[in-house]
Amino acid sequence: MKNLFKKVVLFIALMLPFATFAQEAKVYEGNVIDIQGGAPVEWTLTAQEKEAGLYELTFTGIIAEGYHGYPLSDMFSAPLFIFNNGEAVGDMRETEPTHASVDEFGDTVNHYIGKMVFIQDIKAKAGTEVKGEISTNICTNETNQCQQSSFDFNITLGEAVVAEAEEAEAPATGATERAPLDWGSIVTAILWGFAALLTPCVFPMVPMTVSFFIKGSGSKAQGRFRATMYGLFIIALYVLPIAALILITRFTGGDSVTEDIFNWLSTHWIPNIIFFVIFMIFAASFFGAFEITLPSSLVNKSDAGAEKGGLIGIFFMALTLVLVSFSCTGPIVGSVIIESMNGGIWMPIITMAAFATAFALPFTLLAWFPSMLKNMPKSGGWLNSVKVVLGFIEVALGLKFLMTADQTYHWGILDREIYLAIWIVVFSLLGLYLLGKIRFAHDDKMETLSVKRLAMAIVVFSFVVYMIPGMFGAPLNGISGYLPPMTSQDFRVEGDNSNLNASVKYGDKLHLPHNLKGYFDLEEAIEVAKKENKPIFVDITGHACNNCREMETRVWSDPRVKQILMDDYIICALYVDDRTDLKTEDYYTNKNGIVMTTLGRKNNAIAVERFNVNAQPGYVLMSPDQEILMPVRGYDASIEGFIAFLEGGKAAMK
């Protein structure tokens, strides 16, 4: 109630200058999100309907004490308003600047202190959600040091709605914020956590869990406390090891050391080949070739510890579950960690917590409500079928690690059509297995085909049919993030662009999608940008970055985006995981004095130190003089938003 009262008071105060008009039309309040975090200005957005289909949007900025903003007439620091939808009618209007000062050149400079108000008429239908972005410089009064502040806004016209402001998780400018959460990795980790429950190593542990908590003495409340601690211990056993690694490396060597370790783990050929081999071994085990188990002595000691009372016994029960399930969850855990490393140094902890929470949740609920066990299916031959299906999936996913090593070292082993051919064969065999046409050693004989298996087979074969056009150059947008780039395919719809960038630095090994011409060295791109007086589109990317490939396939492929990139920008792709050795004169020394001798490590240091970007993709718009023109943009598959981002950079350049 207190927060609501504050909002009401603030709303009334902001609307006092327009009280006469507000009595004649409804007022709508919009949502403004500070995408930088802690900016020295707070915005509110309101709209009034002037006539049918015409609305007046009022942007009010409350400036923190000790700071000032600038009017629209200021050549260098004027605020920029970008509207992604809704038609702007006429020029933007503003209140008179409240103060004036004389700069070092003797010119009078107008500015706002305390509050600034900007008004724009918008033509839109009732119910339209107008979205956009505000970007403005806010400077200190004493030293005139400026900070670029950026905000996203949206407002629904024609409906009296009040939207709650949200905490932003996106990066702002290239010099202030870290990477956004990679929600794709988090969702994938959660799904894997639930899927792990159905593996033959894990599912038989369910009755043991229930019996352990049933035989425990005490009240119902005490039993549920013990069940909750059981779940928390499971999560801790998965999360704490990776968290300890990150914290130790970060506090002993700083972020750069942690990033170097993760960069090595996710891109170097040694860990990638090891993970590929592990996936193939586990797949063979799932097919029934042999059984993978941890040493029995280790499991027995943990199991003996579970007989102790209190929290110690519960901890050892959780440890027993984690150890026994290792043969099924081991490769999943490794995959979750590796896949999340493109999202910044904290993403492995977050994604592992998501996996562990989903994995622990069913056991915790069953410990809370043991009667639920009656409704669960009994162990049987179906568990082996689940194991075999996971074996096929692990063969397909294991190729991702081989592909990463192949791309970062330019071996040319696993091109796109070869990768697709293997996937097509693997999933075709999976479909035949689901139909009962293939049997493994431990499978029960299938007398009849169940509806569930038939439905799964239809889905799998549909996926196979979907992939086939990819052999002939189709982009396959739905899975583009998991495939080698289109530039590695012999036949492409867009034709061969292998020599398009051959004359530029590293252009013999690196390529841009969609026949785009560009550069792969930042200094070279800056030199060209100065000659042509164009802004630079810096693409912070990686061979192992799924989201980068998806952005290129879904967003960059749009004709409008391609045209802007080709005509109005100098493109510079910085691969942060490429293992190409640098010439001595191209070595890069980072802020900690460490010399970077490979292209990927150099680009990664540049991305972190110059643009404060430690996740991929990251898109930076920069002037030839290396001024950041717009807030750094991360993964966002909105084509209209990307176009607005590029147009905003062009406007800022002018």
Side-chain angles (χ1 to χ4, degrees), residues 64-111:
E65 186 176 354
Y67 291 84
H68 61 268
Y70 292 91
L72 297 171
S73 58
D74 191 276
M75 182 179 298
F76 301 104
S77 299
L80 175 66
F81 295 80
I82 299 173
F83 296 88
N84 294 338
N85 52 356
E87 180 184 353
V89 178
D91 295 329
M92 177 168 277
R93 309 178 302 277
E94 62 184 326
T95 54
E96 287 292 328
T98 55
H99 290 74
S101 60
V102 178
D103 63 13
E104 61 269 29
F105 302 105
D107 296 325
T108 300
V109 179
N110 295 318
H111 51 267

Side-chain angles (χ1 to χ4, degrees), residues 15-25 27 48 56:
M15 290 309 299
L16 283 177
F18 311 100
T20 303
F21 189 86
Q23 293 173 359
E24 302 174 359
V27 177
Q48 300 176 88
E56 184 182 78

Side-chain angles (χ1 to χ4, degrees), residues 378-425:
K378 305 298 181 183
S379 298
W382 68 274
L383 275 179
N384 191 72
S385 297
V386 171
K387 197 173 185 179
V388 171
V389 170
L390 284 176
F392 281 111
I393 294 175
E394 291 210 349
V395 170
L397 295 182
L399 287 175
K400 177 70 166 59
F401 299 104
L402 180 60
M403 179 193 75
T404 297
D406 182 63
Q407 291 292 316
T408 54
Y409 286 88
H410 309 287
W411 293 337
I413 299 173
L414 205 59
D415 291 343
R416 194 170 187 267
E417 65 269 27
I418 297 175
Y419 194 98
L420 275 171
I422 298 174
W423 267 36
I424 289 170
V425 171

Side-chain angles (χ1 to χ4, degrees), residues 339-654:
E339 287 297 319
S340 65
M341 286 181 178
N342 287 321
I345 61 175
W346 301 111
M347 275 305 295
I349 296 178
I350 297 170
T351 51
M352 186 51 59
F355 166 83
T357 301
F359 179 73
L361 183 61
F363 288 96
T364 305
L365 290 176
L366 287 169
W368 265 60
F369 308 105
S371 60
M372 293 173 60
L373 182 63
K374 299 176 183 178
N375 300 321
M376 296 190 67
K378 305 298 181 183
S379 298
W382 68 274
L383 275 179
N384 191 72
S385 297
V386 171
K387 197 173 185 179
V388 171
V389 170
L390 284 176
F392 281 111
I393 294 175
E394 291 210 349
V395 170
L397 295 182
L399 287 175
K400 177 70 166 59
F401 299 104
L402 180 60
M403 179 193 75
T404 297
D406 182 63
Q407 291 292 316
T408 54
Y409 286 88
H410 309 287
W411 293 337
I413 299 173
L414 205 59
D415 291 343
R416 194 170 187 267
E417 65 269 27
I418 297 175
Y419 194 98
L420 275 171
I422 298 174
W423 267 36
I424 289 170
V425 171
V426 167
F427 283 99
S428 295
L429 292 174
L430 173 56
L432 292 173
Y433 174 77
L434 292 170
L435 293 176
K437 303 301 181 182
I438 300 175
R439 283 180 59 195
F440 289 87
H442 302 293
D443 282 327
D444 294 335
K445 186 176 181 180
M446 188 171 63
E447 300 292 343
T448 58
L449 180 65
S450 68
V451 175
K452 292 180 181 178
R453 290 181 75 115
L454 176 61
M456 292 175 64
I458 291 173
V459 171
V460 170
F461 279 119
S462 297
F463 181 53
V464 170
V465 173
Y466 170 77
M467 288 190 289
I468 291 174
M471 295 288 293
F472 307 99
L476 304 182
N477 291 354
I479 57 172
S480 58
Y482 296 92
L483 302 177
M486 290 286 292
T487 52
S488 70
Q489 187 152 341
D490 292 335
F491 175 79
R492 295 188 294 276
V493 173
E494 295 177 313
D496 184 12
N497 69 348
S498 58
N499 296 318
L500 186 64
N501 299 300
S503 61
V504 307
K505 211 168 187 177
Y506 314 115
D508 57 330
K509 295 182 178 180
L510 301 174
H511 310 282
L512 289 172
H514 312 303
N515 287 334
L516 291 169
K517 187 179 187 304
Y519 302 86
F520 308 99
D521 178 81
L522 185 59
E523 298 306 320
E524 185 178 17
I526 290 173
E527 288 181 12
V528 176
K530 288 180 178 178
K531 292 178 182 178
E532 300 188 16
N533 194 31
K534 287 184 178 180
I536 306 168
F537 174 80
V538 183
D539 171 27
I540 300 170
T541 184
H543 296 294
C545 175
N546 295 343
N547 288 341
C548 301
R549 302 293 84 76
E550 186 175 344
M551 285 292 292
E552 292 166 3
T553 305
R554 290 176 177 269
V555 180
W556 291 32
S557 61
D558 184 87
R560 296 168 294 170
V561 173
K562 287 170 58 178
Q563 200 65 46
I564 296 173
L565 289 175
M566 286 191 297
D567 296 345
D568 302 321
Y569 281 93
I570 300 299
I571 304 173
C572 180
L574 299 182
Y575 280 85
V576 299
D577 57 5
D578 194 89
R579 309 300 296 192
T580 299
D581 291 325
L582 297 171
K583 295 180 180 179
T584 306
E585 59 268 24
D586 293 328
Y587 285 177
Y588 182 86
T589 303
N590 72 2
K591 61 184 179 181
N592 296 323
I594 301 173
V595 179
M596 308 300 180
T597 62
T598 63
L599 180 60
R601 294 191 70 201
K602 174 182 178 179
N603 287 338
N604 187 60
I606 290 173
V608 173
E609 294 179 2
R610 292 199 189 182
F611 309 124
N612 205 31
V613 174
N614 68 344
Q616 303 85 54
Y619 303 114
V620 182
L621 303 184
M622 186 174 72
S623 72
D625 295 327
Q626 303 183 49
E627 177 188 357
I628 305 301
L629 302 174
M630 289 286 288
V632 174
R633 189 177 180 89
Y635 171 78
D636 185 339
S638 167
I639 295 175
E640 297 300 329
F642 203 80
I643 292 173
F645 171 67
L646 296 176
E647 293 290 353
K650 289 166 53 180
M653 177 74 177
K654 293 177 182 178

